[in-house]
Amino acid sequence: MWRRLWLTGVMAFLFLISGILSQTQAQESEGVIKVIEPEETQEVEPSTPATGKKDKVEDVEKIVVTATKTARNPDDVPASITVITKEDIRKQNVQTVDEALAQIPGTFQKRSKGWTDAHSASVNLRGFPAESQKRTLILLDGQNISSGYSNSVSWNSMPVEYIERIEVIRGPFSALYGGSAMGGVINIITRTPKKLEFLAQGGYSTYDSWTYYLGAGDRLWDKLSIQGGFNYRYTAGYASNLVRKTASSGAASPTVLGWSPTTTTTGSPTNIIGDNGDNYWSDYNLNGKASWDIAEGHKVTFNTLVSYSNTGYDLFNSYLTNTATGAKVVTGTVGLFGTNTKFSNLQEGAFLSSNVRNRTQVFNLASEHSLTETTKLKFHAGLLNMPESWGVTPNSSSPQTTYYGGPGSKVSFPSQNWVAELQVDQAIGNKHQLVGGISYNTGSASSETNNLDNWRKPDMEGILTKMSGGRDRNTGIFLQDEIAWHPKINTVAGLRLDWWETYGGRYMAAAGTPVIDLGSRSKVAVSPKFAVLYRPWQWMAWRASVGTSFRAPNIYELYGAHQSATYVYKNNPDLKPETTLSWEIGTTLKPFEGTVFTTTYFENYVDDLIYRVTDPTDPTGRTQIIENAAKATIRGVELEINQKICSWLEVFGNTTLVDARINENPYNTASVGKKITMTPRQMFNFGVTANYWKFQANLSGRYVSKLYATDNNSDVVNNVYGSYDPYFTLDSKVIFSPVKYMDVSFSVNNMLNREYYSYYRTPGQTFWTQVTLKY
């Protein structure tokens, strides 16, 4: 607490000093802050390196709008920034937006089984746990798109063809954005056409996977930009989910063959006896955007995104065969041939898995108005609506449950999240920029579990067996002061006050039990931040920052609870918001033309970390409780180098080292000193891109060290179902452009066909062929 109070006092003092100095700085000519308008572009005629042929393309100055909420050149911002352009996306085999972020330093992208991992894929920054999207704020054109229920992000719902660029800003940003920005902010910025354009794309991949995209846009009357697109994807999938069974002592008849001995992640013996079948998935997306320049200095933009997805499993596979008849064995008690052990009470339901459906709707309205030459007013309001989000699970222990029907359950978790923000940008002279505003977010979410007489008929719901839900809201006021003190020194000071409240909480633990209503709770959070940029020479820049951030518990953590085949997960309505005090120092060097070297050291001191711990009172170790696990420390180093060797060849490499550990945890002392769950200790990426004539080739590699899923780090066994293994993959893509308006590409992911588990069995080597027509 004393750290936070001290930092808040420093921020207040800096604001006072900057206000006094701004009166004397307004007329000085050096150290100018340049506000860049994002729509400032120009048409150029670049030469193609190998042929000398000139193609008219749009050369957009690389800018960022996320770090300071005003458009800036990244070199002028004292923050760790990476901008991913549409060309960066094009040269790699990026099929989902999160894949475009996989090779950014300080960034951990987790996707276990390709497209079908749509609901648990995540991207996290700066060593924070990656079990979900909770501590990295994800924006789409400035709007928060994390679900109101669990903060998850539907990464598959955003077609990559729809994207202009992605801004990745690492470090705490609650001073500008409020909660969930502890590790940083990722802002996905969509395309705004400036001329007639058309895009048609089709692709085919391993596992009978198809993708189609059709989009068009234009600039009308030099005032109205419109864009729309349709995306459809399908994959038959592969057998990612394995079925395990532990043998008991004793003989039984008949006997079977086909089981494979293995262990759990903690080393207990078990056996693989089958799989859930091929995990298919399909979705379609509709996107649209309109941007209207009403008058000079006045613009209104509206965009929308609608997505529908469905995933499930084809017919399961049992690996067990009767030694006498050769028939597949699914039910009963059987002996293991050649041993004195048996599998007791096999049920067909144990070979089945969940079907999931999800519908996501995003609506965003934004406007900008230049009131004077130095004053700009910005407003945006939006809605993230997930009206249909449910999963159906067959009853694995019921003898009546089969692939074609029988008892099961349905869990529905719809949510809504409304956002609104008013912002004012005020320039004071040419060296001083103030940004201030007020924001309001409110959301509702619920979870209902119903019995199903037939799990194949999810619309025919039975009795309600479990229910939880609630609402929350957050009101924030923020102020940021950016000053160019000198041509070599810039500072940014920010301060935000947030009032968070949860209310309307209620839950029913089981059928027939009373519904428990919970009282409202509130919390006030103060989030200051100070950053400085020092450029002693043009080829060298130093940056340092210190700030605090917070995240309030989401609806699932407060009121939700569920049970899997392995664990029982309990909610906690008494959770407190988690906070962090973070600082970093880094440098960017450009000693030679085409060379950029960046290094950053950072530390996060986390209090009241919301953490899933093993209930020490449960001797089976199957009960998981969500608690505020006291204190944790995250320390890390990011190193990155980009080198353009010549006009047709460029390379890059980066590595991230993180030491993230629990310091105090009264709920489970066995976790103290252990690594934070779902956080890799080391990541390494490299890539090579070559352009020659009509060809472009890219080769990239990625290494991620082991993850621990248990708070006491007891899951030490690798290469078994349920483990999070260290892995290295090598990917490649070759693009051939026979004519100006056409690309034909061939890609290979996991070229070395490395086999590893990311809880599920990963896809292995996959191939992609894609054709793109563009105008």
Side-chain angles (χ1 to χ4, degrees), residues 218-236:
D218 199 2
R219 176 80 169 174
L220 305 175
W221 312 296
D222 200 31
K223 286 185 176 294
L224 178 64
S225 294
I226 56 173
Q227 186 270 347
F230 172 77
N231 184 215
Y232 174 77
R233 289 172 290 186
Y234 167 81
T235 179

Side-chain angles (χ1 to χ4, degrees), residues 143 262 295 325 355 362 378 402 408 495 535 601 618 634 744:
Q143 178 181 332
T262 183
T325 65
N355 293 340
V362 179
K378 300 178 182 179
T402 70
L495 186 66
R535 284 181 294 201
Y601 176 80
D618 182 359
I634 304 170
V744 180

